[in-house]
């Protein structure tokens, strides 16, 4: 029994060392898109726009921030992740920005059946950093009336150049690109005279 004691102590020491190394691995950094403060619609708003949760391209519906490494290679970051699903963040940011830019319209989340609301749906094809230092957002949006008839179908694209390297700069630039998308949509809604 005494002969086995040194090897047992060695085993316990190695186990403790390995567990200490394993527990010292730092968790991934988590990011939220920068957002504008929410604006409440005036109480006399007669029109309602409900915004559906965006449909993301499958490769974007992940925890890690996506980076396009060249013309065909995409990488999901393991150490740099979204703090909350990116679809929820994009929806919330879009609603806040549209509420700011369409002050006479009540902008709400699409929940249940609102028989008088116009509905905005969005498909996002790209929302990623790109190898040339640009944050890209593109896809299409469609607008339907309360009866489900298509009122508009348009594409959007926005690119913002990163001011510096790193994931914090990428997340801020992605936020700027998304804000630009919201501005494009708001302008097209105003020009289309849907409200």
């Amino acid at each position: 029994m005494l002969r086995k004691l040194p090897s047992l102590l060695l085993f316990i020491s190695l186990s403790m060392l390995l567990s200490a190394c394993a527990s010292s691995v730092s968790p991934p950094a988590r990011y939220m898109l920068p957002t504008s403060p929410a604006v409440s619609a005036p109480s006399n708003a007669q029109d309602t726009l409900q915004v559906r949760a965006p449909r993301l391209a499958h490769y974007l519906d992940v925890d890690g921030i996506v980076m396009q490494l060249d013309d065909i290679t995409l990488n999901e970051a393991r150490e740099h992740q979204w703090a909350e699903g990116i679809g929820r963040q994009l929806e919330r940011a879009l609603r806040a920005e549209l509420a700011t830019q369409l002050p006479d319209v009540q902008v709400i989340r699409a929940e249940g059946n609102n028989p008088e609301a116009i509905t905005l749906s969005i498909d996002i094809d790209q929302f990623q950093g790109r190898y040339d230092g640009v944050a890209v957002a593109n896809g299409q949006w469609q607008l339907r009336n309360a009866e489900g008839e298509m009122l508009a179908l348009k594409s959007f694209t926005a690119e913002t150049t990163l001011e510096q390297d790193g994931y914090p700069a990428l997340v801020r630039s992605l936020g700027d690109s998304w804000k630009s998308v919201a501005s494009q949509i708001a302008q097209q809604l105003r020009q289309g005279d849907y409200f």
Side-chain angles (χ1 to χ4, degrees):
M1 179 71 177
L2 290 176
R3 288 185 202 159
K4 291 185 178 181
L5 189 58
S7 61
L8 182 61
L9 288 174
L10 179 63
F11 176 74
I12 291 172
S13 297
L14 271 166
S15 296
M16 290 175 66
L17 181 63
L18 287 175
S19 67
C21 288
S23 65
S24 68
V25 174
S26 60
R30 299 201 179 268
Y31 300 89
M32 292 289 291
L33 285 176
T35 57
S36 305
V39 174
S40 56
S43 57
N44 62 348
Q46 295 180 0
D47 296 307
T48 301
L49 174 66
Q50 59 181 2
V51 178
R52 291 204 184 283
R55 288 185 301 222
L56 300 169
H58 184 67
Y59 76 92
L60 294 172
D61 198 7
V62 293
D63 292 334
I65 298 171
V66 175
M67 184 69 189
Q68 184 176 344
L69 304 178
D70 56 33
D71 60 333
I72 59 171
T73 309
L74 296 168
N75 182 59
E76 175 193 355
R78 283 188 224 148
E79 299 301 317
H80 301 276
Q81 299 182 353
W82 295 114
E84 177 185 28
I86 190 59
R88 291 186 72 123
Q89 292 186 60
L90 291 170
E91 176 198 350
R92 192 168 46 246
L94 179 62
R95 279 189 290 118
E97 194 60 35
L98 289 176
T100 300
Q101 298 202 24
L102 302 169
D104 296 329
V105 177
Q106 183 180 20
V107 180
I108 63 171
R109 183 176 191 198
E111 295 178 319
N113 187 12
N114 188 335
E116 297 178 15
I118 293 176
T119 303
L120 176 68
S121 302
I122 298 189
D123 291 319
I124 301 172
D125 300 323
Q126 291 185 310
F127 190 74
Q128 65 225 29
R130 201 170 61 197
Y131 56 92
D132 57 355
V134 173
V136 181
N138 73 42
Q140 66 180 13
W141 62 269
Q142 58 182 259
L143 196 66
R144 292 185 181 270
N145 65 15
E147 290 76 40
E149 298 168 336
M150 178 94 63
L151 300 175
L153 175 64
K154 305 221 182 248
S155 295
F156 63 82
T157 189
E159 297 183 353
T160 304
T161 302
L162 274 68
E163 293 183 10
Q164 60 190 41
D165 290 339
Y167 280 91
L170 173 57
V171 170
R172 288 184 184 96
S173 294
L174 284 168
D176 289 342
S177 289
W178 192 241
K179 190 172 184 175
S180 176
V181 166
S183 296
Q184 289 175 37
I185 293 171
Q187 180 180 13
Q188 290 167 333
L189 291 175
R190 283 192 300 269
Q191 289 172 347
D193 199 27
Y194 300 109
F195 303 106

